[in-house]
Amino acid sequence: MPVSTYRLQVQPAFTFDDAAAQAGYLAALGVSHAYLSPVLAPAKGSQHGYDVVDHSRLNPEAGGREGFDRLSAALGEAGLAAVADVVPNHMAVPTPASDNAQLWSVLKEGPRSPFASWFDVDWSVQDRAILMAVLGQRIGQVLAAGELSLDRSGDPFDGGPVLRYYDHVFPVRPGTEDLPLAQLVDRQWYRLAHWRVADEELNYRRFFDVDTLAAIRVEDPDVFDASHALLLDLLHSGQLQGLRIDHPDGLADPRGYLQRLAEVTATGEGGSSAWVVVEKILEGEEVLPQDWPCAGTTGYDALQRIGGLFVDAAGAEPLSGQYAAATGDTRPFATLVDEAKREVVEHGLYAEVHRLVELLSGICHDDVDLRDHTRRGLHECVVELLVAMERYRAYVTPGEPAPAESVEVLEHAASIARHRLPAERQDTLDVVVDLALNRVGSPDDERIAEFVVRFQQTCGPVMAKGIEDTAFYRWFRLSALNEVGGDPTRFGTAPEEFHSFAARLARDWPATMTTLSTHDTKRSEDVRARLATLSEFTEEWAEALATWRELAAEHRAGELDARTELLVWQTLVGTWGPGPISAERLLAYLQKATREAKDHTTWTAPDEAYESAVERFATGVLGDEAVLAAVAEFVELIAPAARTALLGQKLVQLTMPGVPDVYQGTELVDLSLVDPDNRRAVDYAERARRLAALDAGSEPADLDDEKLLVVSRALRARREHADVFTGPAAGYAPVPTSTGNAVAFARGGVEAPGAVAVATRLPVSLERHGGWGEHTLTLPEGTWRDAFTGVEHGGGPARLADLLRDLPVSLLLRVG
């Protein structure tokens, strides 16, 4: 099991050899495992690797097998190992399609292809063809314009004919190559169509609403074996020692997949399986299913609780009032979520909903007791049930009784949907819920089993696209809370709540991953930490906003929405370094944010006037010295509090139960936004230089050094005292403090813990109450040395002012 991981984004610009060059630095930093983004061959030029095209090869643009072997050797020489990201749910639909050999075969041979079972295709559609919605205009217009052509020797696999459409290439079904072009196009196992057709008529399951990521049926043993063979070889050879599973909720049977993975990764008879964590978003108080054989999640549940420790709950009401006053929007966040999910269900995921309704309609038509439930009624009930679902999945398995929690989740959603449906639809809703819970119908009806699975596979995309990728971009009371797996209405985490959560992890999921930044986070940990301090500076924030808005009046076009403007100000504050964020980065982010919001402009129908107004405002602000001076003054005001939150949340993450991951570069202050901003190059030479200086005895020169000190000393403590932080003896216990402005806990044995972590929280309220004064915490018996300062303290009551004299955090390790 890893003691800690360090996330590396492998891509053409950061290859396996580039990663290998940092093995010595990672070892010096204190991590035990390099955590690699997907390593299998992705679509050409991929910057992230989640668009796999070939499971049998390692990423050739990152160095291929030879480069990976060199990385493994370098890690081994440095005393490190590796874990890797796995993408079991989907493959890329690349351009050209021939880059995906399995997909190419299915496009060419249809259901007769040896790879037909790989893809989740609905072959029951009228023309029995896979929809390829890639055309810039309707098919008739494309043919009339002569944009399609037949190349009689372009097939890369057998030299046969292909169809060409600009950069797109498609195979030709054998025996159709001599037909007139229009007939030839009509006789293929795929249907070429205008790109706008996809949302309504797509007949293959995809990743969320991304047409270029086609789902694969990893529940098929042959597909599992073929798609995991190389990864399993790397595990069995020791070149990988763990796996991170991407989006398990998209699978037909997540539990079954994890069971299979545990079986094939077990070492020897009765040996333990590989360390596996899953990218599972847990909503509210939801917990990971206990019957999932894995180590835990990738850490979004921990991220939310850790960040909440440094948010002042008292700031919720004033920030809500300020937001309403600034934007004129008084709607609760739940209303925006409902609206956004409904838009996603009725538009972006229309094809998925249509497939569910088709299944229900067929089931009901063939059952005389259910025949009077109309297609329209079934559609309305499915829509309302999906909108009302508050979880990514309900975990119902065909052929098994639905777990009690799954029944509760679905029936709660039904109770919400019931209020939105007319009286004549209530019985239909009951039928839909009963079918989703596997409670009615013939156990031999494969359509019911398919509906049970597909309904759950649709819940996740509705949640993700509706909340994280829409509503989160429409509501900015405090954008630090608009995070993956988070809830912007959940304002702050009390120490008692955190202790309860951490103790549960230590008991149930001690090897789960914890994180603060990932490739998917909307804002880096340090941007969120700075913005979290606004909860303590509510009056100053309101005054600053009023001043900035007045100073920036000349840059504000009439089209600019007040919510977008508020996002600009929060982004400017959150990303302020030695100066403001660059125009290039800010404009790219704002374009993404406004298009994701879908209020004024979208990816598919950009509104040039609105986007120009946003660009004019942003560039105007960045070029206005008076505005920037005012923002700089405010950033300086909140800097001490931001420092406290930044260092505090990092220490908590690195020392709480679980396996902490450090996202690339975040051992220094990192002020990144959502991808691709968070995939910018990392200056490892600068990090190595700073670490060497600290190791040579230099005092931290700035906040970058302070964060590096906290990260390196905490990671080294974990590695040197692994039994204190991992394994069966790594307990967790709150350490009593006389004030809520400190959070402290002990790790290790219950009777004689080996480490105590202490972090300051809400420093503004602390200062208002006179500082630490005589406040204390009670250390376990023994002698304790601070890993950051080297100062020793005795057991028993200890003054917080003494423990936290130099830094707002302390990591105390037992001496002897």
Side-chain angles (χ1 to χ4, degrees), residues 59-60 74 80 142 154 175 199 222 235 240 243 272 279 305 345 347 369 434 437 468 607 629 680 740-741 768 789 806:
N59 189 341
L80 306 177
V142 168
D199 284 345
D222 291 337
L235 278 168
L240 290 178
L243 303 173
S272 60
E279 186 202 21
R305 271 79 174 192
V345 168
H347 300 289
D369 292 331
D434 284 342
L437 287 170
E468 294 171 14
D607 185 316
R680 289 172 295 131
N741 289 108
R768 288 170 183 161
T789 65
D806 300 313

Side-chain angles (χ1 to χ4, degrees), residues 102-317:
Q102 289 83 10
L103 176 65
W104 185 264
S105 173
V106 176
L107 292 175
K108 186 171 186 173
E109 303 178 51
R112 301 189 191 95
S113 164
F115 300 105
S117 63
W118 275 58
F119 300 96
D120 197 350
V121 177
D122 177 13
W123 294 106
S124 69
V125 293
Q126 187 173 8
D127 50 10
R128 285 174 59 78
I130 303 173
L131 186 71
M132 291 282 104
V134 300
L135 305 180
Q137 51 187 340
R138 291 181 173 85
I139 181 63
Q141 295 169 315
V142 168
L143 286 167
E147 295 174 328
L148 268 174
S149 63
L150 179 67
D151 178 350
R152 291 189 174 274
S153 59
D155 192 315
F157 298 99
D158 61 13
V162 296
L163 274 174
R164 294 190 180 276
Y165 174 75
Y166 295 102
D167 293 337
H168 293 277
V169 182
F170 299 96
V172 173
R173 182 177 177 179
T176 66
E177 59 270 20
D178 294 325
L179 294 172
L181 189 58
Q183 292 182 35
L184 184 154
V185 168
D186 193 46
R187 291 288 306 279
Q188 302 310 308
W189 286 112
Y190 52 88
R191 171 191 163 197
L192 296 178
H194 185 227
W195 63 270
R196 287 189 180 275
V197 173
D199 284 345
E200 297 181 25
E201 299 189 20
L202 200 72
N203 63 323
Y204 60 84
R205 188 168 59 84
R206 53 189 168 170
F207 173 71
F208 293 168
D209 61 352
V210 184
D211 304 342
T212 54
L213 295 175
I216 60 173
R217 300 182 61 255
V218 76
E219 65 272 19
D220 183 313
D222 291 337
V223 179
F224 178 97
D225 291 343
S227 60
H228 287 67
L230 178 53
L231 291 169
L232 294 176
D233 283 346
L234 296 176
L235 278 168
H236 293 149
S237 70
Q239 289 181 285
L240 290 178
Q241 292 191 346
L243 303 173
R244 178 262 194 195
I245 307 302
D246 183 68
H247 187 48
D249 281 340
L251 304 178
D253 181 11
R255 182 191 63 187
Y257 169 79
L258 292 171
Q259 288 173 337
R260 174 72 173 144
L261 200 58
E263 292 169 3
V264 298
T265 62
T267 54
E269 177 141 4
S272 60
S273 301
W275 179 76
V276 172
V277 290
V278 293
E279 186 202 21
K280 172 66 191 136
I281 306 300
L282 300 171
E283 293 292 324
E285 300 306 314
E286 180 185 8
V287 296
L288 199 62
Q290 287 287 337
D291 59 358
W292 280 21
C294 63
T297 74
T298 53
Y300 286 113
D301 48 342
L303 181 155
Q304 182 188 72
R305 271 79 174 192
I306 298 167
L309 281 171
F310 304 92
V311 173
D312 189 350
E317 187 174 343

Side-chain angles (χ1 to χ4, degrees), residues 47 105 196 230 271 464 511 526 543 585 593 634 773 815:
Q47 302 298 302
S105 173
R196 287 189 180 275
L230 178 53
D526 299 329
E543 294 171 3
R585 290 176 59 205
F634 180 78
V815 176

Side-chain angles (χ1 to χ4, degrees), residues 297-358:
T297 74
T298 53
Y300 286 113
D301 48 342
L303 181 155
Q304 182 188 72
R305 271 79 174 192
I306 298 167
L309 281 171
F310 304 92
V311 173
D312 189 350
E317 187 174 343
L319 287 178
S320 295
Q322 293 167 19
Y323 178 79
T327 64
D329 190 353
T330 59
R331 295 173 296 171
F333 180 66
T335 299
L336 273 73
V337 168
D338 183 83
E339 292 175 356
K341 290 171 71 176
R342 191 173 303 279
E343 291 171 18
V344 168
V345 168
E346 295 181 347
H347 300 289
L349 296 175
Y350 177 88
E352 285 77 3
V353 174
H354 176 74
R355 179 63 179 149
L356 292 175
V357 174
E358 285 293 302

Side-chain angles (χ1 to χ4, degrees), residues 4 8 29 56 68 166 174 204 245 332 541 574 589 669 740 755:
S4 60
L8 294 169
L29 190 63
S56 68
F68 186 83
Y166 295 102
Y204 60 84
I245 307 302
W541 173 240
Y589 170 71
V669 177

